Amino acid sequence: MKSTNFYFIIAVLLLSCNQKPKKEKFQYERIQENSSEVIQNNNIGNTIILNSNDAMLFDKKVIKVSSGEQVTLTLNHVGQIAKDFMGHNFVLLKKGVDVDDFGQRAILARDNDYIPEGDDIIVTTKMLGGGETDTIVFDAPEPGKYIFICTFPGHYQLMQGEFIVL
Ligand code: CU
């Protein structure tokens, strides 16, 4: 049983590696953090490409944008698993919002694509399934450090990062 699990994990890892476009390999500076691969943000201006995958990961832990300008953010789900099982979104939280509290409330908001009622978010993409993409355009908020997460149940602990407005 254990070895079956092991091979399954290896298969998933191989699958997620293979799905990364080869071109990206030379465009990002890679660093090690918490033993998982983190790809540094290397976007041009305020145009952000954020990828998510079947391994429940975003490819960026830090996104930096300039204040006073519009941000164009494209979220890609580069995996293959359907939205009901491996849905991903990008939700930018307002400052001071408790991530755990929000993440828990999101689980109950299934009918609203896991966006809970209230005034907690700056912007969100659609919830995506494998192969889907969504682009949003919004004004960069006040300079500072914000948190972005995926609100699909069970995802926000792994799928979160810093959105820094300079
Ligand atoms: Cu997700």
Side-chain angles (χ1 to χ4, degrees):
M1 196 59 192
K2 272 190 177 162
S3 68
T4 311
N5 286 341
F6 176 75
Y7 286 120
F8 176 73
I9 288 165
I10 295 296
V12 168
L13 287 174
L14 287 175
L15 204 62
S16 60
C17 287
N18 286 341
Q19 282 163 1
K20 280 177 194 150
K22 290 228 161 64
K23 257 167 55 183
E24 285 193 0
K25 290 213 159 143
F26 304 101
Q27 292 178 349
Y28 297 103
E29 176 193 349
R30 291 167 180 230
I31 55 168
Q32 288 297 117
E33 187 182 285
N34 296 334
S35 76
S36 67
E37 190 180 65
V38 177
I39 301 172
Q40 279 286 73
N41 186 32
N42 188 23
N43 292 290
I44 299 162
N46 278 7
T47 299
I48 311 294
I49 310 279
L50 179 64
N51 296 309
S52 57
N53 63 19
D54 285 344
M56 216 199 290
L57 293 172
F58 285 128
D59 71 346
K60 294 173 185 68
K61 286 281 184 193
V62 179
I63 292 173
K64 288 178 186 170
V65 300
S66 306
S67 58
E69 292 176 31
Q70 279 194 328
V71 177
T72 301
L73 183 142
T74 297
L75 175 66
N76 298 316
H77 188 325
V78 300
Q80 296 173 347
I81 305 177
K83 173 179 159 179
D84 289 347
F85 301 100
M86 187 56 72
H88 297 314
N89 61 7
F90 165 92
V91 177
L92 185 58
L93 299 178
K94 288 186 175 174
K95 268 188 191 161
V97 173
D98 184 304
V99 180
D100 288 309
D101 175 69
F102 182 84
Q104 294 302 318
R105 283 192 288 125
I107 294 171
L108 305 173
R110 186 178 177 187
D111 292 343
N112 194 36
D113 267 353
Y114 301 107
I115 303 296
E117 296 278 311
D119 191 28
D120 303 305
I121 72 172
I122 294 168
V123 70
T124 178
T125 64
K126 286 188 278 195
M127 185 67 75
L128 306 178
E132 295 180 332
T133 186
D134 188 30
T135 297
I136 51 174
V137 179
F138 58 98
D139 291 328
E142 292 290 296
K145 206 182 271 187
Y146 301 79
I147 301 287
F148 68 90
I149 62 172
C150 167
T151 61
F152 193 86
H155 286 200
Y156 79 88
Q157 286 98 337
L158 266 180
M159 297 187 74
Q160 71 172 268
E162 287 181 348
F163 187 94
I164 298 170
V165 183
L166 298 169

